[in-house]
């Protein structure tokens, strides 16, 4: 195995497997210090990175240029000179909300073909506790012919990337680390310590690190589910939910969560990894799954509230035109993964409503391939019966409420899900 002292001597060559929202920022930071290979099977992605462009907007052209020891490739042979492999591929769920380890196991198979004695494989992808050692390591052993913790070793250091957040970045977020032996754990911790300015936390085992990651987003999901349920209650009582939360927020220990759609690569997905594992060992989670049901149903709730509001204004629903402002899963970023805005679109179309979507951050090709949507280039004025502000992009607040309402006909409904404008300026708020 690589000696820990060699880290300072820059004798380690690192491979990052997967160059998306997680892998690329990591590759850039390591590439400033260590010889680093960024590996991805998406040739188009590699070509854009070679040109200094990152469509995820997580790294700038200047940041890519600073990583002078970083190279990009889709050639597996280029991985053979590396000693440390960091896997950052997606871990999605399928249509039945069951964990899909396919990308992770495929990456493990690829690495199995290049593993050598002494190498270390570190996983960053979100998984359930035990996945690294129970699911990934056997694949590494099978395709390498090597023995775990004798010939090669493993680590787990969960990603904490927050897409679109320019304050909390890979180097400024404390990193949890772990390894398959105490020596490996120390090595992994020290390796990440070379780039993580916020410091590291060495977990006692890989399973502890895996569990820590999966509950981070589970906790947030449950908290958002609570305020979503409160919003459902207060809306029936004709009480302004934001006003209630502002009043309650004057207490020092009240948590400042807000209602909304819960999508994205983590919060709407990770809980199903934990609940899947829990059910496999005979425990049926109650609170976690209840929160998931509430959050998963919010898109349908928003659509039904819009339909009711149209009827109250005597706007004919069949053939009504509604524009949804925002498609990405959060504000001011281009990330469309697991966006729950699509639930609103599909539910409204079930009422035979014509739905247009406008999002200045989203990529039209990605929206088309992922969701079958063609995004508007520019919304028409005086055209829509309903307007839904689904994502709080800065462009929408800059347009102003009057500018947003200009998209609507003389009689229309403005539904603000994100509290972009004051309650008195909107017909509906979540």
């Amino acid at each position: 195995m690589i000696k820990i002292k060699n880290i300072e001597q820059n004798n380690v060559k690192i491979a990052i497997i997967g160059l998306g929202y997680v892998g690329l920022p990591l590759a850039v930071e390591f590439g400033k210090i260590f010889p680093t290979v960024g590996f991805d099977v998406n040739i188009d992605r590699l070509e854009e990175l070679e040109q200094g462009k990152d469509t995820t907007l997580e790294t700038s052209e200047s940041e890519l240029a600073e990583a002078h020891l970083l190279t990009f490739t889709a050639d597996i042979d280029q991985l053979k000179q590396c000693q440390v492999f960091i896997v950052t591929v997606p871990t999605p769920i399928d249509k039945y909300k069951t964990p899909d380890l396919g990308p992770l196991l495929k990456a493990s198979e690829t690495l199995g073909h290049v593993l050598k004695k002494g190498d270390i494989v570190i996983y960053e992808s979100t998984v359930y506790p035990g996945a690294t050692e129970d699911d990934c390591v056997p694949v590494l052993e099978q395709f390498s012919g090597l023995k775990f913790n004798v010939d090669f070793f493993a680590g787990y250091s969960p990603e904490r990337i927050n897409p679109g957040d320019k304050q909390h970045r890979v180097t400024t977020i404390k990193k949890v680390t772990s390894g398959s032996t105490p020596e490996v754990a120390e090595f992994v911790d020290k390796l990440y310590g070379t780039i993580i300015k916020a410091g590291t936390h060495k977990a006692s085992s890989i399973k502890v690190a895996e569990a820590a990651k999966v509950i981070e987003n589970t906790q947030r999901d449950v908290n958002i589910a609570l305020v979503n349920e409160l919003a459902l209650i207060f809306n029936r009582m004709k009480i302004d939910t934001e006003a209630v939360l502002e009043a309650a927020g004057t207490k020092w220990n009240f948590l400042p969560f807000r209602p909304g759609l819960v999508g994205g690569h983590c919060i709407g997905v990770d809980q199903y990894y934990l609940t899947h594992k829990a059910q496999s060992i005979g425990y049926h989670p109650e609170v976690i799954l209840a929160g998931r049901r509430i959050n998963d149903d919010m898109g349908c709730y928003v659509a039904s509230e819009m339909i009711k509001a149209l009827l109250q204004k005597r706007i004919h629903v069949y053939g009504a035109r509604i524009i949804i402002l925002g498609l990405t899963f959060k504000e001011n970023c281009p990330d469309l993964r697991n966006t729950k805005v699509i639930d609103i679109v599909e539910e409204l179309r079930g009422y035979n409503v014509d739905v247009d979507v406008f999002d200045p951050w989203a990529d039209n090709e990605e929206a088309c391939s992922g969701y079958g949507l063609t995004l508007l280039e520019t919304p028409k004025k005086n055209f829509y019966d309903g307007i839904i502000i689904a994502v709080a992009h800065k462009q929408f607040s800059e347009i102003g409420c009057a500018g947003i309402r200009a998209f609507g006909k003389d009689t229309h409904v403005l539904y603000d899900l994100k509290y972009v404008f004051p309650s008195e300026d909107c017909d509906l708020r979540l």
Side-chain angles (χ1 to χ4, degrees):
M1 196 187 80
I2 304 164
K3 297 299 182 182
I4 295 172
K5 64 181 181 180
N6 286 347
I7 291 179
E8 289 88 350
Q9 299 169 3
N10 295 352
N11 289 336
V12 178
K13 189 168 186 178
I14 300 170
I16 308 296
I17 312 302
L19 297 173
Y21 284 86
V22 175
L24 181 62
L26 194 67
V28 166
E29 294 304 323
F30 275 125
K32 296 175 182 178
I33 303 173
F34 302 100
T36 303
V37 177
F39 178 86
D40 203 292
V41 296
N42 186 334
I43 302 300
D44 292 338
R45 174 68 167 161
L46 295 176
E47 289 178 352
E48 76 173 29
L49 293 176
E50 291 283 6
Q51 297 169 9
K53 300 176 182 178
D54 173 23
T55 53
T56 70
L57 304 182
E58 290 302 303
T59 58
S60 65
E61 186 173 351
S62 62
E63 287 171 331
L64 283 167
E66 290 174 8
H68 58 285
L69 297 177
L70 173 62
T71 59
F72 300 110
T73 188
D75 183 1
I76 296 175
D77 287 338
Q78 296 297 314
L79 301 177
K80 293 180 179 179
Q81 302 304 314
C82 300
Q83 300 86 35
V84 176
F85 304 90
I86 302 178
V87 180
T88 62
V89 298
T91 44
I93 54 175
D94 62 21
K95 63 180 180 180
Y96 303 109
K97 303 188 188 306
T98 300
D100 177 9
L101 293 179
L104 198 62
L105 298 181
K106 182 62 178 177
S108 299
E109 178 183 337
T110 298
L111 292 181
H113 292 296
V114 299
L115 271 186
K116 308 173 299 300
K117 287 189 176 182
D119 287 353
I120 300 175
V121 181
I122 305 169
Y123 291 91
E124 288 212 2
S125 307
T126 302
V127 292
Y128 47 73
T132 297
E133 293 158 298
D134 298 340
D135 296 287
C136 298
V137 164
V139 175
L140 294 173
E141 288 186 316
Q142 177 186 351
F143 288 93
S144 69
L146 301 176
K147 188 171 180 59
F148 178 51
N149 275 345
V150 175
D151 300 317
F152 74 92
F153 306 87
Y156 185 79
S157 181
E159 60 89 5
R160 282 177 166 171
I161 293 294
N162 188 25
D165 189 339
K166 299 307 179 185
Q167 180 179 359
H168 302 97
R169 310 193 69 188
V170 63
T171 61
T172 60
I173 302 172
K174 196 161 190 174
K175 201 82 163 73
V176 174
T177 66
S178 64
S180 56
T181 70
E183 184 182 13
V184 171
E186 181 66 22
F187 174 86
V188 172
D189 190 69
K190 195 167 185 180
L191 180 67
Y192 278 103
T194 62
I195 65 168
I196 306 298
K197 300 174 183 176
T200 60
H201 173 88
K202 186 169 61 175
S204 58
S205 69
I206 287 177
K207 287 185 175 67
V208 166
E210 291 169 327
K213 169 57 181 176
V214 80
I215 70 165
E216 289 175 12
N217 291 317
T218 299
Q219 183 186 66
R220 183 167 175 79
D221 189 47
V222 170
N223 276 298
I224 297 173
L226 172 61
V227 294
N228 273 337
E229 187 165 52
L230 293 174
L232 302 182
I233 296 170
F234 294 144
N235 287 347
R236 290 193 174 201
M237 300 173 69
K238 307 301 181 185
I239 299 174
D240 186 341
T241 301
E242 185 188 26
V244 174
L245 294 174
E246 285 180 350
T250 59
K251 190 169 186 281
W252 75 91
N253 60 353
F254 186 83
L255 300 177
F257 287 93
R258 290 293 184 269
L261 305 174
V262 184
H265 67 299
C266 285
I267 298 181
V269 174
D270 293 357
Q271 294 67 254
Y272 291 115
Y273 276 77
L274 181 58
T275 57
H276 170 80
K277 185 64 175 181
Q279 289 167 337
S280 74
I281 58 175
Y283 180 78
H284 183 76
E286 299 288 350
V287 174
I288 297 171
L289 288 176
R292 273 285 78 227
R293 286 192 295 271
I294 292 170
N295 288 340
D296 277 344
D297 288 344
M298 289 305 292
C300 293
Y301 172 78
V302 168
S304 67
E305 288 296 287
M306 171 56 85
I307 295 300
K308 292 176 185 176
L310 292 175
L311 292 172
Q312 288 171 359
K313 288 200 173 187
R314 299 184 181 276
I315 298 173
H316 194 54
V317 170
Y318 190 97
R321 298 181 184 275
I322 292 178
I323 184 171
I324 297 178
L325 302 179
L327 179 62
T328 60
F329 89 89
K330 64 179 292 188
E331 65 274 8
N332 305 324
C333 85
D335 196 345
L336 291 176
R337 291 175 295 174
N338 194 36
T339 175
K340 306 308 280 186
V341 178
I342 193 65
D343 293 352
I344 305 175
V345 175
E346 293 175 349
E347 187 71 10
L348 287 173
R349 285 177 173 173
Y351 289 95
N352 291 302
V353 170
D354 291 331
V355 182
D356 288 334
V357 180
F358 173 66
D359 192 317
W361 285 84
D363 179 74
N364 189 58
E365 290 186 9
E366 188 178 351
C368 186
S369 62
Y371 300 103
L373 291 176
T374 299
L375 301 177
L376 288 179
E377 290 187 8
T378 305
K380 296 180 181 179
K381 292 187 176 181
N382 194 33
F383 188 72
Y384 295 99
D385 300 292
I387 304 166
I388 299 175
I389 304 174
V391 186
H393 290 318
K394 61 183 180 181
Q395 287 90 340
F396 301 150
S397 59
E398 290 170 354
I399 291 172
C401 190
I404 296 292
R405 280 198 177 275
F407 301 145
K409 298 176 181 177
D410 290 343
T411 301
H412 66 268
V413 175
L414 174 59
Y415 194 170
D416 184 358
L417 306 187
K418 300 297 293 184
Y419 303 158
V420 175
F421 303 113
S423 60
E424 59 268 21
D425 293 339
C426 309
D427 300 297
L428 287 173
R429 294 209 302 174
L430 189 57

